[in-house]
Amino acid sequence: KLRFLACADCGNIIHPPVPVCDKCLSRNQEVIEVSGRATLVAVTVNHQMWMPMIEPPYVIGLVEIEEQAGVRLTTNIVECAEEDLAIGMALEVAFEHYEDVYLPVFRPADPALRKEAEH
């Protein structure tokens, strides 16, 4: 489940998290669950190894969640061929397990565009 900090008074999603809501200045916050649906806003394919646990090439994307315009995450795009990537494409969250954390990544919402993970 993908969760964000939100203002309990006005419902504004606060990302990145800060102590005060930027819309109503409330300090009354709660954690909410979002749908996990997003839109691809920007994308790049990295062909250089920067971290030993991630084999290149890999896709880094900027995604905007469905619930609130302007709430964006920099994340990996998985299960998608490079030639199928398109700005504006619908995505859904998936999670990858690394040691003691689960990291959100995104994949095409359309199952027809998904490819099997390469390991």
Side-chain angles (χ1 to χ4, degrees), residues 5-47:
L5 189 63
C7 178
D9 293 329
C10 73
N12 180 54
I13 295 174
I14 304 167
H15 184 76
V18 292
V20 177
C21 175
D22 65 340
K23 298 291 182 207
C24 73
L25 303 179
S26 172
R27 292 182 178 273
N28 188 14
Q29 301 177 352
E30 62 187 350
V31 175
I32 63 165
E33 183 179 323
V34 296
S35 66
R37 293 184 297 270
T39 302
L40 186 60
V41 176
V43 65
T44 186
V45 179
N46 196 334
H47 292 276

Side-chain angles (χ1 to χ4, degrees), residues 48-56 58:
Q48 180 166 342
M49 182 182 284
W50 293 101
M51 299 179 70
M53 66 182 153
I54 304 175
E55 270 302 309
Y58 56 94

Side-chain angles (χ1 to χ4, degrees), residues 39-44 60-64 72-75 77 91:
T39 302
L40 186 60
V41 176
V43 65
T44 186
I60 301 170
L62 182 63
V63 303
E64 184 170 82
R72 297 178 173 185
L73 297 172
T74 301
T75 183
I77 308 301
L91 302 170

